[in-house]
Amino acid sequence: MHLKHPFIWSILALTIASNSHAAQSQPLPSEQTVGAIEQVFAFHDAMPTGVSVTENGRIFVNFPRWGDAVPFTVAELRDGKVVPYPDMAMNQADPKDPAKGFISVQSVVADGRGRIWILDTAAPGFASPTPGGAKLMAVDLATNKVVKTLVFPKNVMLPSTYVNDMRFDFRVGDEGVIYITDSSLSGPGAIIVMDIASGTAIRRLSGATSTSVDPSFVPKVEGQVLQVRNADGSTRPFAVASDGIALSADGQTLYFCPLSSRHLYSVPTALLRDPSVSEARLDMAVKDLGEKGASDGLEADAAGALYAGDYEHNSVRKRLADGQWQTIVHDPRVLWPDTLSIGPDGYLYFMANQLHRQGIFHAGKDLRQKPYSLLRVKIDAAPAPTR
Protein backbone atom coordinates (compact mmCIF):
# COMPACT_ATOMS: atom_id res chain seq x y z
CA MET A 1 0.00 0.00 0.00
CA HIS A 2 1.33 3.44 -0.91
CA LEU A 3 2.45 5.67 2.02
CA LYS A 4 0.38 8.54 0.73
CA HIS A 5 -2.80 6.55 1.21
CA PRO A 6 -5.16 8.43 3.62
CA PHE A 7 -5.64 5.31 5.76
CA ILE A 8 -1.91 4.98 6.45
CA TRP A 9 -1.61 8.63 7.48
CA SER A 10 -4.58 8.24 9.81
CA ILE A 11 -2.92 5.29 11.53
CA LEU A 12 0.39 7.20 11.88
CA ALA A 13 -1.37 10.27 13.30
CA LEU A 14 -3.24 8.17 15.86
CA THR A 15 -0.01 6.40 16.89
CA ILE A 16 1.89 9.68 17.33
CA ALA A 17 -0.97 11.22 19.32
CA SER A 18 -1.21 8.13 21.51
CA ASN A 19 2.52 8.10 22.22
CA SER A 20 2.49 11.85 22.94
CA HIS A 21 -0.40 11.45 25.39
CA ALA A 22 1.33 8.52 27.08
CA ALA A 23 4.53 10.56 27.46
CA GLN A 24 2.62 13.48 28.96
CA SER A 25 0.78 11.29 31.44
CA GLN A 26 3.92 9.63 32.83
CA PRO A 27 4.98 10.95 36.26
CA LEU A 28 8.19 12.96 36.27
CA PRO A 29 11.09 11.74 38.37
CA SER A 30 11.24 13.35 41.82
CA GLU A 31 14.18 14.37 43.96
CA GLN A 32 15.42 11.66 46.28
CA THR A 33 15.25 12.31 50.00
CA VAL A 34 17.77 11.24 52.62
CA GLY A 35 17.00 10.40 56.24
CA ALA A 36 13.73 9.64 58.00
CA ILE A 37 12.68 12.91 59.63
CA GLU A 38 9.90 13.18 62.18
CA GLN A 39 7.95 16.27 63.14
CA VAL A 40 8.18 16.75 66.89
CA PHE A 41 6.15 19.95 67.09
CA ALA A 42 4.30 22.35 64.78
CA PHE A 43 4.38 26.09 65.55
CA HIS A 44 1.41 28.12 64.34
CA ASP A 45 2.30 31.53 65.77
CA ALA A 46 5.70 33.28 66.05
CA MET A 47 8.73 31.92 64.21
CA PRO A 48 11.14 29.97 66.44
CA THR A 49 14.92 29.89 65.98
CA GLY A 50 16.50 27.98 68.87
CA VAL A 51 15.91 24.59 70.45
CA SER A 52 17.63 22.66 73.21
CA VAL A 53 16.87 19.22 74.61
CA THR A 54 17.98 18.68 78.20
CA GLU A 55 19.61 15.57 79.63
CA ASN A 56 16.22 14.40 80.91
CA GLY A 57 14.38 15.10 77.65
CA ARG A 58 12.72 18.45 78.31
CA ILE A 59 12.52 20.62 75.20
CA PHE A 60 13.02 24.39 75.23
CA VAL A 61 12.61 26.84 72.35
CA ASN A 62 12.90 30.57 71.77
CA PHE A 63 11.34 33.24 69.58
CA PRO A 64 13.44 36.34 68.90
CA ARG A 65 11.56 39.60 68.54
CA TRP A 66 12.20 40.20 64.84
CA GLY A 67 8.79 41.51 63.85
CA ASP A 68 6.33 38.71 64.58
CA ALA A 69 3.98 39.13 67.53
CA VAL A 70 6.03 37.52 70.31
CA PRO A 71 4.16 37.45 73.63
CA PHE A 72 6.99 35.42 75.17
CA THR A 73 10.51 34.91 73.84
CA VAL A 74 11.39 31.66 75.71
CA ALA A 75 9.16 28.62 76.09
CA GLU A 76 9.04 24.96 77.04
CA LEU A 77 7.16 22.43 74.93
CA ARG A 78 4.96 20.74 77.49
CA ASP A 79 1.97 18.43 76.97
CA GLY A 80 1.60 19.50 73.36
CA LYS A 81 1.62 23.21 74.21
CA VAL A 82 4.07 26.12 74.03
CA VAL A 83 4.38 27.35 77.62
CA PRO A 84 6.22 30.60 78.59
CA TYR A 85 9.40 29.77 80.51
CA PRO A 86 10.14 30.12 83.32
CA ASP A 87 7.00 32.27 83.44
CA MET A 88 5.31 35.08 81.55
CA ALA A 89 6.67 37.79 83.86
CA MET A 90 10.30 36.89 83.09
CA ASN A 91 9.50 37.15 79.37
CA GLN A 92 8.85 40.89 79.61
CA ALA A 93 11.59 43.49 79.50
CA ASP A 94 12.04 45.53 82.67
CA PRO A 95 12.46 49.18 81.58
CA LYS A 96 14.02 50.04 84.95
CA ASP A 97 16.56 47.24 84.86
CA PRO A 98 17.42 45.73 81.44
CA ALA A 99 19.40 42.96 83.15
CA LYS A 100 16.23 41.43 84.63
CA GLY A 101 13.58 40.50 82.07
CA PHE A 102 14.08 38.88 78.66
CA ILE A 103 14.24 41.46 75.86
CA SER A 104 14.80 39.31 72.75
CA VAL A 105 16.23 35.82 73.13
CA GLN A 106 18.22 34.30 70.29
CA SER A 107 19.16 30.90 71.73
CA VAL A 108 18.62 28.50 74.62
CA VAL A 109 21.14 25.81 75.51
CA ALA A 110 20.99 23.10 78.18
CA ASP A 111 24.34 22.73 79.92
CA GLY A 112 24.10 19.05 80.91
CA ARG A 113 24.25 20.04 84.58
CA GLY A 114 20.60 20.66 85.35
CA ARG A 115 20.33 24.17 83.93
CA ILE A 116 19.04 25.84 80.79
CA TRP A 117 20.96 28.94 79.71
CA ILE A 118 19.16 31.75 77.92
CA LEU A 119 21.03 34.14 75.61
CA ASP A 120 19.33 37.54 75.41
CA THR A 121 20.58 39.73 72.55
CA ALA A 122 18.75 42.78 73.92
CA ALA A 123 18.51 43.73 70.24
CA PRO A 124 14.94 43.40 68.93
CA GLY A 125 14.86 43.62 65.15
CA PHE A 126 18.68 43.61 65.09
CA ALA A 127 18.83 47.09 66.59
CA SER A 128 21.84 48.14 68.65
CA PRO A 129 21.71 46.19 71.93
CA THR A 130 20.08 47.90 74.88
CA PRO A 131 22.92 49.00 77.22
CA GLY A 132 23.19 46.51 80.07
CA GLY A 133 20.56 44.25 78.52
CA ALA A 134 22.60 41.70 76.59
CA LYS A 135 23.01 38.83 79.03
CA LEU A 136 23.14 35.14 79.84
CA MET A 137 20.69 33.76 82.39
CA ALA A 138 20.81 30.27 83.87
CA VAL A 139 17.58 28.68 85.08
CA ASP A 140 17.67 25.69 87.42
CA LEU A 141 15.54 22.95 85.88
CA ALA A 142 14.54 21.50 89.24
CA THR A 143 13.11 24.76 90.60
CA ASN A 144 12.52 26.70 87.35
CA LYS A 145 14.18 29.69 89.00
CA VAL A 146 16.91 31.97 87.66
CA VAL A 147 20.12 31.08 89.51
CA LYS A 148 22.68 33.16 87.63
CA THR A 149 22.75 36.27 85.46
CA LEU A 150 25.83 37.33 83.50
CA VAL A 151 25.58 40.69 81.75
CA PHE A 152 28.00 41.07 78.87
CA PRO A 153 30.63 43.63 79.91
CA LYS A 154 31.11 46.77 77.82
CA ASN A 155 34.55 45.70 76.58
CA VAL A 156 33.04 42.94 74.39
CA MET A 157 29.91 44.77 73.23
CA LEU A 158 29.90 46.94 70.11
CA PRO A 159 26.92 48.94 68.81
CA SER A 160 26.72 46.30 66.06
CA THR A 161 27.03 43.23 68.30
CA TYR A 162 24.41 40.50 67.97
CA VAL A 163 25.21 37.65 70.35
CA ASN A 164 23.91 34.50 68.73
CA ASP A 165 24.83 31.04 70.01
CA MET A 166 26.89 29.52 72.83
CA ARG A 167 28.64 26.41 74.12
CA PHE A 168 29.84 25.49 77.61
CA ASP A 169 32.93 23.85 79.07
CA PHE A 170 32.97 23.15 82.81
CA ARG A 171 36.39 21.47 82.71
CA VAL A 172 38.24 24.78 82.87
CA GLY A 173 38.09 27.73 85.26
CA ASP A 174 36.47 27.80 88.67
CA GLU A 175 32.95 27.41 87.27
CA GLY A 176 33.63 26.91 83.57
CA VAL A 177 33.62 29.09 80.48
CA ILE A 178 31.13 29.99 77.76
CA TYR A 179 31.98 30.55 74.09
CA ILE A 180 29.57 32.87 72.27
CA THR A 181 29.39 34.01 68.64
CA ASP A 182 28.84 37.64 67.66
CA SER A 183 26.96 37.32 64.37
CA SER A 184 26.75 41.00 63.56
CA LEU A 185 24.91 42.06 60.40
CA SER A 186 26.84 45.31 60.06
CA GLY A 187 30.07 45.11 62.05
CA PRO A 188 32.84 42.67 62.84
CA GLY A 189 32.03 39.13 63.88
CA ALA A 190 33.85 37.60 66.82
CA ILE A 191 34.03 34.86 69.42
CA ILE A 192 33.35 36.06 72.96
CA VAL A 193 34.82 34.02 75.80
CA MET A 194 33.14 34.54 79.17
CA ASP A 195 34.28 33.22 82.55
CA ILE A 196 31.24 32.02 84.47
CA ALA A 197 32.63 32.61 87.97
CA SER A 198 33.67 36.24 87.45
CA GLY A 199 31.53 37.30 84.50
CA THR A 200 34.59 38.79 82.82
CA ALA A 201 34.85 38.33 79.07
CA ILE A 202 37.25 38.82 76.18
CA ARG A 203 36.50 39.45 72.54
CA ARG A 204 38.54 37.23 70.20
CA LEU A 205 39.08 37.01 66.43
CA SER A 206 37.10 40.23 66.04
CA GLY A 207 36.93 40.98 62.33
CA ALA A 208 39.12 38.00 61.41
CA THR A 209 38.49 36.20 58.14
CA SER A 210 37.16 33.19 60.03
CA THR A 211 34.46 35.18 61.84
CA SER A 212 33.59 37.45 58.91
CA VAL A 213 31.25 37.32 55.94
CA ASP A 214 32.83 35.68 52.90
CA PRO A 215 32.77 38.53 50.34
CA SER A 216 32.49 36.06 47.44
CA PHE A 217 29.57 34.15 48.97
CA VAL A 218 26.28 34.31 47.04
CA PRO A 219 23.65 32.18 48.81
CA LYS A 220 20.88 30.53 46.81
CA VAL A 221 17.86 29.08 48.57
CA GLU A 222 14.88 27.50 46.81
CA GLY A 223 16.49 28.42 43.50
CA GLN A 224 16.72 32.14 44.26
CA VAL A 225 19.62 34.33 45.35
CA LEU A 226 19.08 35.22 49.00
CA GLN A 227 19.39 38.97 49.45
CA VAL A 228 17.55 41.78 51.14
CA ARG A 229 14.94 43.08 48.70
CA ASN A 230 13.27 46.39 49.41
CA ALA A 231 9.85 47.52 48.22
CA ASP A 232 11.46 50.17 45.99
CA GLY A 233 13.35 47.47 44.07
CA SER A 234 16.74 48.09 45.65
CA THR A 235 18.70 45.17 47.07
CA ARG A 236 21.69 44.48 49.28
CA PRO A 237 23.53 41.33 50.31
CA PHE A 238 22.35 39.38 53.33
CA ALA A 239 25.59 39.38 55.30
CA VAL A 240 25.81 37.66 58.69
CA ALA A 241 29.09 37.04 60.50
CA SER A 242 30.08 34.17 62.85
CA ASP A 243 26.98 32.24 63.82
CA GLY A 244 27.11 28.45 64.30
CA ILE A 245 29.32 27.11 67.09
CA ALA A 246 30.19 23.67 68.49
CA LEU A 247 32.66 22.36 71.06
CA SER A 248 34.54 19.11 70.55
CA ALA A 249 33.86 16.25 72.96
CA ASP A 250 37.22 16.76 74.71
CA GLY A 251 36.74 20.52 74.93
CA GLN A 252 40.00 21.23 73.13
CA THR A 253 38.60 22.51 69.82
CA LEU A 254 35.96 25.08 69.05
CA TYR A 255 34.25 24.84 65.65
CA PHE A 256 32.46 27.85 64.20
CA CYS A 257 31.25 29.38 60.96
CA PRO A 258 29.87 32.62 59.58
CA LEU A 259 26.30 32.26 58.35
CA SER A 260 27.32 34.00 55.12
CA SER A 261 29.97 31.44 54.15
CA ARG A 262 30.25 27.77 53.32
CA HIS A 263 33.47 27.26 55.27
CA LEU A 264 34.01 25.58 58.63
CA TYR A 265 36.72 26.86 60.96
CA SER A 266 38.32 25.55 64.14
CA VAL A 267 40.60 26.96 66.81
CA PRO A 268 42.26 25.46 69.93
CA THR A 269 40.26 26.57 72.94
CA ALA A 270 43.37 26.88 75.15
CA LEU A 271 44.64 29.68 72.91
CA LEU A 272 41.21 31.25 72.59
CA ARG A 273 40.82 31.51 76.37
CA ASP A 274 44.32 32.86 77.04
CA PRO A 275 44.34 36.68 76.95
CA SER A 276 48.14 36.66 76.71
CA VAL A 277 47.91 35.05 73.26
CA SER A 278 47.99 37.85 70.68
CA GLU A 279 45.30 38.18 68.06
CA ALA A 280 47.91 37.63 65.36
CA ARG A 281 49.01 34.34 66.92
CA LEU A 282 45.43 33.26 67.52
CA ASP A 283 44.48 34.04 63.93
CA MET A 284 47.37 31.90 62.70
CA ALA A 285 46.10 28.99 64.83
CA VAL A 286 42.69 29.02 63.17
CA LYS A 287 42.18 26.20 60.66
CA ASP A 288 40.00 26.49 57.58
CA LEU A 289 38.49 22.99 57.38
CA GLY A 290 37.04 23.57 53.92
CA GLU A 291 33.50 23.79 52.62
CA LYS A 292 30.60 22.14 54.42
CA GLY A 293 27.68 23.94 52.84
CA ALA A 294 26.07 27.12 54.19
CA SER A 295 25.05 26.62 57.81
CA ASP A 296 23.09 28.34 60.50
CA GLY A 297 23.49 25.87 63.39
CA LEU A 298 26.29 23.46 64.36
CA GLU A 299 26.43 20.67 66.96
CA ALA A 300 28.93 18.04 68.13
CA ASP A 301 28.39 14.55 69.53
CA ALA A 302 30.30 12.51 72.10
CA ALA A 303 31.95 10.33 69.45
CA GLY A 304 33.77 13.15 67.68
CA ALA A 305 31.31 13.85 64.86
CA LEU A 306 30.06 17.31 63.92
CA TYR A 307 26.65 18.20 62.49
CA ALA A 308 25.85 21.20 60.30
CA GLY A 309 22.74 22.49 58.64
CA ASP A 310 22.91 23.22 54.92
CA TYR A 311 20.22 25.80 54.28
CA GLU A 312 20.90 26.04 50.55
CA HIS A 313 20.05 22.37 50.03
CA ASN A 314 17.36 21.63 52.67
CA SER A 315 19.85 19.35 54.35
CA VAL A 316 21.74 18.40 57.49
CA ARG A 317 25.26 17.06 57.11
CA LYS A 318 27.58 15.09 59.37
CA ARG A 319 31.35 15.46 59.56
CA LEU A 320 32.95 12.22 60.64
CA ALA A 321 35.94 12.11 62.96
CA ASP A 322 38.23 11.63 59.93
CA GLY A 323 36.95 14.84 58.32
CA GLN A 324 34.70 13.24 55.72
CA TRP A 325 31.20 14.62 55.21
CA GLN A 326 27.98 12.73 54.63
CA THR A 327 24.40 13.94 54.18
CA ILE A 328 22.10 12.53 56.86
CA VAL A 329 19.02 14.61 55.97
CA HIS A 330 17.87 15.95 52.62
CA ASP A 331 14.21 16.75 52.30
CA PRO A 332 12.26 19.59 50.64
CA ARG A 333 10.40 20.10 53.92
CA VAL A 334 13.62 21.10 55.69
CA LEU A 335 13.18 24.76 54.86
CA TRP A 336 16.08 26.56 56.53
CA PRO A 337 17.49 24.17 59.16
CA ASP A 338 18.37 26.44 62.06
CA THR A 339 19.56 25.41 65.54
CA LEU A 340 20.61 21.80 66.21
CA SER A 341 20.45 19.89 69.52
CA ILE A 342 21.20 16.27 70.39
CA GLY A 343 18.80 14.71 72.87
CA PRO A 344 19.37 11.89 75.35
CA ASP A 345 17.25 9.66 73.09
CA GLY A 346 19.87 9.53 70.30
CA TYR A 347 18.00 11.96 68.05
CA LEU A 348 19.27 15.15 66.46
CA TYR A 349 16.60 17.83 66.87
CA PHE A 350 16.50 20.87 64.58
CA MET A 351 14.28 23.78 63.66
CA ALA A 352 12.99 24.28 60.11
CA ASN A 353 11.65 27.81 60.27
CA GLN A 354 11.56 29.19 56.69
CA LEU A 355 13.75 32.11 57.72
CA HIS A 356 14.57 32.87 54.08
CA ARG A 357 10.88 33.42 53.25
CA GLN A 358 10.53 36.43 55.54
CA GLY A 359 9.30 39.65 53.97
CA ILE A 360 12.71 41.32 54.22
CA PHE A 361 13.93 39.04 51.43
CA HIS A 362 10.86 39.46 49.22
CA ALA A 363 10.14 43.19 49.00
CA GLY A 364 7.95 43.09 52.09
CA LYS A 365 5.90 40.06 51.12
CA ASP A 366 5.96 37.34 53.79
CA LEU A 367 6.10 33.99 52.01
CA ARG A 368 6.32 31.81 55.12
CA GLN A 369 3.69 29.08 55.38
CA LYS A 370 2.74 27.97 58.86
CA PRO A 371 3.37 25.78 60.66
CA TYR A 372 7.08 26.03 61.33
CA SER A 373 8.51 22.71 62.44
CA LEU A 374 10.70 21.18 65.07
CA LEU A 375 12.06 18.05 63.41
CA ARG A 376 14.33 15.21 64.44
CA VAL A 377 16.35 12.41 62.87
CA LYS A 378 17.84 9.37 64.58
CA ILE A 379 21.64 9.53 64.82
CA ASP A 380 22.28 7.03 67.65
CA ALA A 381 24.74 9.37 69.31
CA ALA A 382 25.00 11.25 72.59
CA PRO A 383 25.67 14.98 72.93
CA ALA A 384 29.26 16.09 73.49
CA PRO A 385 29.96 16.24 77.23
CA THR A 386 30.46 19.59 78.93
CA ARG A 387 32.44 18.25 81.89
Side-chain angles (χ1 to χ4, degrees):
M1 190 177 294
H2 200 275
L3 275 177
K4 291 186 178 180
H5 193 284
F7 177 74
I8 295 297
W9 281 111
S10 297
I11 294 297
L12 286 172
L14 286 171
T15 302
I16 291 170
S18 177
N19 288 341
S20 175
H21 177 73
Q24 291 176 7
S25 65
Q26 293 298 310
L28 291 171
S30 59
E31 189 172 21
Q32 293 183 341
T33 60
V34 177
I37 60 173
E38 303 173 17
Q39 186 184 58
V40 178
F41 199 87
F43 299 88
H44 293 274
D45 296 305
M47 185 185 80
T49 59
V51 60
S52 190
V53 185
T54 71
E55 59 269 30
N56 59 1
R58 293 171 69 178
I59 301 175
F60 294 89
V61 296
N62 67 269
F63 310 87
R65 291 187 162 110
W66 287 351
D68 289 344
V70 178
F72 45 87
T73 187
V74 180
E76 182 177 3
L77 303 184
R78 193 186 307 159
D79 300 324
K81 297 179 181 179
V82 185
V83 181
Y85 190 83
D87 53 40
M88 182 60 90
M90 185 60 69
N91 275 271
Q92 309 304 317
D94 186 336
K96 296 182 180 179
D97 187 351
K100 285 187 176 180
F102 303 149
I103 300 171
S104 180
V105 171
Q106 176 61 32
S107 63
V108 288
V109 178
D111 67 5
R113 302 182 69 188
R115 295 174 295 185
I116 186 81
W117 288 77
I118 295 160
L119 179 58
D120 188 351
T121 68
F126 298 98
S128 293
T130 302
K135 56 190 173 290
L136 285 159
M137 301 182 80
V139 180
D140 182 86
L141 294 171
T143 63
N144 298 317
K145 301 294 183 183
V146 175
V147 293
K148 199 170 194 69
T149 299
L150 297 171
V151 176
F152 286 95
K154 293 180 180 179
N155 65 296
V156 298
M157 296 296 295
L158 305 178
S160 61
T161 291
Y162 191 84
V163 285
N164 190 300
D165 207 351
M166 56 187 160
R167 293 295 180 267
F168 301 86
D169 191 353
F170 300 106
R171 291 161 287 205
V172 293
D174 292 336
E175 296 182 29
V177 297
I178 313 172
Y179 305 102
I180 306 109
T181 48
D182 178 352
S183 62
S184 174
L185 275 68
S186 59
I191 306 295
I192 297 171
V193 183
M194 178 175 278
D195 178 74
I196 296 176
S198 65
T200 58
I202 53 177
R203 186 179 175 89
R204 303 296 261 160
L205 297 171
S206 185
T209 298
S210 58
T211 60
S212 299
V213 171
D214 179 352
S216 66
F217 176 65
V218 181
K220 299 179 181 68
V221 188
E222 291 196 276
Q224 185 178 47
V225 172
L226 182 69
Q227 58 185 345
V228 176
R229 292 180 171 86
N230 301 313
D232 62 4
S234 62
T235 64
R236 69 177 187 274
F238 179 53
V240 183
S242 52
D243 189 319
I245 189 171
L247 185 65
S248 64
D250 60 9
Q252 295 184 15
T253 305
L254 189 73
Y255 299 96
F256 57 99
C257 64
L259 186 141
S260 297
S261 170
R262 297 185 185 92
H263 284 249
L264 176 68
Y265 297 94
S266 70
V267 67
T269 53
L271 298 181
L272 194 65
R273 292 192 307 268
D274 188 348
S276 70
V277 174
S278 70
E279 282 295 303
R281 182 184 168 197
L282 184 62
D283 193 37
M284 289 180 62
V286 173
K287 291 183 180 179
D288 183 342
L289 300 176
E291 291 200 2
K292 54 159 177 46
S295 305
D296 198 330
L298 298 177
E299 188 56 289
D301 71 20
L306 191 72
Y307 302 83
D310 183 348
Y311 60 76
E312 290 184 294
H313 300 104
N314 311 106
S315 300
V316 177
R317 304 184 71 204
K318 177 180 180 179
R319 185 178 188 267
L320 305 178
D322 63 3
Q324 297 298 308
W325 286 96
Q326 61 181 217
T327 298
I328 62 169
V329 171
H330 173 67
D331 193 298
R333 295 170 295 177
V334 181
L335 292 165
W336 198 280
D338 203 317
T339 307
L340 315 177
S341 179
I342 300 174
D345 52 6
Y347 279 89
L348 178 70
Y349 291 73
F350 58 96
M351 283 294 185
N353 59 15
Q354 306 173 52
L355 184 150
H356 62 290
R357 291 182 171 181
Q358 292 178 98
I360 189 175
F361 304 115
H362 303 281
K365 185 176 182 181
D366 188 352
L367 301 181
R368 295 173 297 176
Q369 298 177 13
K370 296 178 182 179
Y372 314 113
S373 292
L374 172 60
L375 305 171
R376 70 178 186 177
V377 63
K378 191 74 169 178
I379 59 171
D380 293 317
T386 58
R387 53 180 173 175

